[in-house]
Amino acid sequence: MSKTLVKVILSLLILIIVCQTASAQTFGKIYGVVTSADTGEPLAGANVTVRGTNLGAATDLDGRFIILRIPPGRYEVEASYIGFHSLVIQSVEVYTDLTTDLRFPLEPSPIEAGEAVVITAERPMIQRDRTSVEARISTEEIETLPATTLNEVLTLQAGVTEDESGALHIRGGRTSEISYLVNGISITDDFDKGQALEVMNESIAELQVISGTFNAEYGNAMSGVVNIVTRTGSNDFEFHLEAEMGDYLSGDNDLFPHIDSISPFDNTNLTLQVSGPVVRDHLTFFVSGRRSISDGWIYGENRYVPQGRTAVVDGDTLEVTGDGSAVPMNNSQTTSGQAVLRWHVLPNLILKTDFLASESNWREYSHEYRYNPNGFGENESYGRTGILNMTYLMSQRSYFELSLAHRLNGRTYSLYDNPYDSRYVHPDSLLYANYTFYQSGTELNCFERSTRSTILKADYTSQVTYHHQIKTGIDFQSDIVRYDDFEITPAEDENGQEIIPFEPDVRPINEINHNRYRRTPRRYAAYIQDKIEYESVIINVGLRYDLFDPQGLIPVDPEDPNVYRPLKLNHKYHDLNGDGVIELSEQVSSNEFTLEERRSFWYRETSTKSLVSPRFGIAYPITDRGVIHFSYGMFQQIPEYNLLYTDDERKVSEGANIYGPFGNPDLKPQRTTMYELGLSQQLTDRLAVSVTGFYRDIRDWISSGAVIPTSVASVSYVTYVNRDFANVRGLTVTLDGRLNNRFTLSGDYTYQIVEGTNSSPEDEYWAQINGEEPTKVLSPMNWDQRHALNLYAHYGTREYGITLLSRINSGQPYTPEILTGEYSGRSIISGLSENSRRKPVRWTVDLLAFHQVYSGAVDVRLSLQVNNLFDRRNPVTVFEDTGEADFTLNELLVANADEGYFVRPDYYSEPRSILIGVSCDF
């Protein structure tokens, strides 16, 4: 073997040992001690096994044992020793990345002793080794929640805020600051930092929501991590079929017409799960699928048709109208599924494949199209993720994981599939007066994007001693981003004259209204982390390194950015000295070159960005019932791809304007520093409280930069820059009460202040367009919610149960507006502060009730779920002149508004919905 090859192999081995991936772990561990119940002496060599698995360990001379690599869930753990009764502890809960502590006092007995002693574990009220705030939700807990989607579960967690559009924010961050993981693999859509695919609640084994500072193993996130561990098959065949049906039901017919009676098939959910062994103890499978259909709660009326208001028939001009039928305008359909195959190849080698997929179609309500509901388009999103994982158990104290994943996700928007469809009509059909509904016309925007990712990661975990667990590894991700966005325009003849009658056309990509690109960014990451566990202190300390290569280009000359239409006709760029350096030469026209020739010297490459992030957390048990924790960390995140690349070619023309904001592939990472201090105290055997204070300092948020002039005096443009900053400070209080085996009462309260310079990266651009001064002071962000209270009560057994969930949220801010008393228009009075008023309080109560019927080999469960039980009107946005969602002064000032125009159902959250379900388990 050559020395070079030996060096390469050694380098790879060292890299695997000292580095770590950007992904989360999917296993927990059990630590415990086996002793003699009579004497208290440790029992060395006792066997401890996790029933139903091949996991286990033998105790050392001090009677201690550690079992690693346990998937989250509920288990029976057995300890046995010759001359002692075996002891089985039932309902032992194991959580990802946490340690479950067990004690086995074995009773002496003759060697020929019979059955084992069985006891039931009590779930600890306080988790001693948790160094930051997080929530853990198991499959059983999800089943008791009146929630059908993952987002509905997330909104119930302390520190999670939902803005007026339904987007989630964790601890005051922008909605793009959350990282979503499934089985250790990122499912974050890097284009906009949302979820790349939908994951069924029924497929979740454990949901971990980290809203506090998170360990070094988590990266490319600034405010929170959502870590999903999905279910796998077992040695028992299981079959689950569930059907739900229902509708929105509200008596508020003025606001929500056409939902005052039940149509039981308007909202339907159908779920199927099958799991079991292919070869017992060696090969198992798990397959699940879900189909959800909803007509939504906002309906329009088909009064007009998109293609026109009149038609000529036999020489007569006739008015064309619709049939007046009700048409859903925020309807949706979602199909999602998962397939898992787990193969125990050898006692110390496991192969596992996961495939997850989802596809959604939905429409977002457009108020102007209320009586022309067939004139606006539909969104479609899709996601596919395949994961191949190998786990190699190197010893009882260490294991190695290697994962390869491929992910494809994207989104489209259009009215008709073909942009040249003859049903599109001229843009002039949408020219109507303000405060009126469209009586004809079609949406002309078409949009399509996709991101294809290849992910490779290697993880090594070792319990080096009883007090130190090391995690380390590497991660690589390569993306291909495709984007195409254009407006349908009137076709022109060879002389540039518009063709009459109207023919739809798509302009070439050198035009401003057509943006198409392909980009290939790459990411690398590594980390090392140590979890130090003693009786008196638990410490998590780690260091993370990220490297990002955007593979982008930016113009060499900011004054002449558009490669398609150069503005400087008396300049060119070329290699003056023959050294490969592009320089400026006078008196030669750029237009002498072809487009491809200009591309060769028009741009320069962007720089590679590297990030180093230290993390530290400590938990200090002050008593056997109380723990103080403190954590600190620096967190950095690559900007979303749409801010890096969309319009990064910076197309400007000679028409007077401020163009933009344009993408900037040379943006720096956004960063935040987070501090957290908390106390968890068990007050009684069945009641515990946790109080946590936190502070975040956020820098280099993406914003719109200063106006960049071009060589044409009237033409300028704006790009995205790292400019905005913010700070978040708050307090969370959680109460966990398990009052008895049937009744659970819990709640959480969050007080939070979120202040910054701009809520959106585009805010500064629009301020400049309106001639306003750059933002220099902090103001509340759009999602700033000072008070949030969640209350949860569940009463029941395995056979029946009822859950009540109440949510109270104080109003989020808005900027007030003053209208003039003139009929001709309105104006804004200077001096009104940004986001200086508050919207009304939101309050909802949700209910879930179920009854389990056992009939031989089949278990049947009947359920009733009611969301917004009291059908309360909850405003999510308001008219800025009154602060109310149901009244604006324009109703008095505008003479020619359409009747009903100021009735805005989209200003409110959804009304009451009812779902009746039946499920069968075999």
Side-chain angles (χ1 to χ4, degrees), residues 70-112:
I70 307 175
R74 186 173 294 177
Y75 297 93
E76 293 182 352
V77 183
E78 180 178 8
S80 60
Y81 193 72
I82 297 176
F84 289 79
H85 281 290
S86 296
L87 178 60
V88 177
I89 303 181
Q90 297 178 327
S91 300
V92 175
E93 297 202 38
V94 176
Y95 297 99
T96 302
D97 284 338
L98 295 180
T99 302
T100 299
D101 198 319
L102 297 180
R103 293 294 184 268
F104 289 91
L106 302 188
E107 296 285 349
S109 73
I111 294 178
E112 63 274 10

Side-chain angles (χ1 to χ4, degrees), residues 516-786:
R516 185 171 67 205
Y517 61 78
R518 179 183 183 273
R519 302 290 182 264
T520 57
R522 295 177 180 176
R523 270 208 317 264
Y524 309 82
Y527 92 83
I528 185 167
Q529 179 174 301
D530 186 10
K531 184 176 183 180
I532 307 167
E533 297 179 90
Y534 287 89
E535 283 292 325
S536 58
V537 67
I538 297 93
I539 298 173
N540 277 303
V541 60
L543 184 67
R544 179 181 181 81
Y545 176 76
D546 290 272
L547 185 70
F548 177 66
D549 184 0
Q551 301 270 312
L553 299 172
I554 56 177
V556 172
D557 184 1
E559 294 185 357
D560 194 7
N562 190 353
V563 69
Y564 298 103
R565 294 184 178 180
L567 300 176
K568 289 184 176 180
L569 298 182
N570 62 336
H571 291 74
K572 82 163 185 177
Y573 297 96
H574 73 154
D575 188 353
L576 289 175
N577 302 318
D579 57 2
V581 177
I582 303 300
E583 300 177 5
L584 186 64
S585 176
E586 300 275 341
Q587 304 304 322
V588 181
S589 172
S590 297
N591 284 338
E592 290 184 4
F593 297 91
T594 66
L595 175 62
E596 291 306 313
E597 288 173 334
R598 284 199 300 271
R599 284 187 183 277
S600 66
F601 58 76
W602 204 264
Y603 299 104
R604 64 176 176 84
E605 294 183 356
T606 53
S607 60
T608 300
K609 311 300 187 298
S610 59
L611 326 170
V612 177
S613 308
R615 314 283 172 83
F616 175 80
I618 182 170
Y620 177 65
I622 50 177
T623 68
D624 61 343
R625 290 192 167 196
V627 178
I628 292 176
H629 79 267
F630 169 79
S631 56
Y632 155 85
M634 295 178 62
F635 307 89
Q636 305 185 68
Q637 185 179 41
I638 302 301
E640 45 266 52
Y641 289 161
N642 68 319
L643 301 180
L644 292 172
Y645 303 123
T646 301
D647 288 317
D648 63 349
E649 290 183 321
R650 306 183 186 186
K651 298 175 189 174
V652 299
S653 70
E654 294 186 2
N657 201 353
I658 301 177
Y659 294 90
F662 294 141
N664 180 7
D666 212 22
L667 288 170
K668 298 184 296 184
Q670 304 168 103
R671 55 192 175 92
T672 182
T673 303
M674 193 184 312
Y675 305 86
E676 179 181 299
L677 177 65
L679 167 66
S680 298
Q681 181 66 49
Q682 185 173 343
L683 304 177
T684 69
D685 290 342
R686 294 187 175 272
L687 185 64
V689 64
S690 296
V691 182
T692 302
F694 58 89
Y695 176 80
R696 295 183 60 205
D697 179 71
I698 305 170
R699 305 282 171 167
D700 289 333
W701 252 2
I702 308 303
S703 181
S704 309
V707 172
I708 302 173
T710 69
S711 57
V712 178
S714 60
V715 178
S716 58
Y717 64 95
V718 168
T719 68
Y720 291 115
V721 297
N722 297 93
R723 177 187 179 275
D724 282 339
F725 56 93
N727 64 67
V728 183
R729 51 200 185 274
L731 178 76
T732 62
V733 180
T734 61
L735 182 70
D736 184 11
R738 305 166 205 165
L739 305 185
N740 54 49
N741 292 332
R742 296 187 176 187
F743 185 45
T744 300
L745 179 65
S746 62
D748 62 76
Y749 167 75
T750 302
Y751 174 76
Q752 183 174 259
I753 300 174
V754 187
E755 295 179 324
T757 47
N758 288 294
S759 297
S760 166
E762 291 75 32
D763 285 352
E764 202 67 35
Y765 169 75
W766 293 114
Q768 293 181 79
I769 292 293
N770 295 327
E772 300 174 12
E773 289 291 323
T775 304
K776 298 178 181 179
V777 298
L778 299 180
S779 59
M781 297 291 90
N782 291 346
W783 57 89
D784 174 41
Q785 188 170 274
R786 297 297 167 89

Side-chain angles (χ1 to χ4, degrees), residues 154 404 481:
L154 296 178
L404 175 65
V481 185

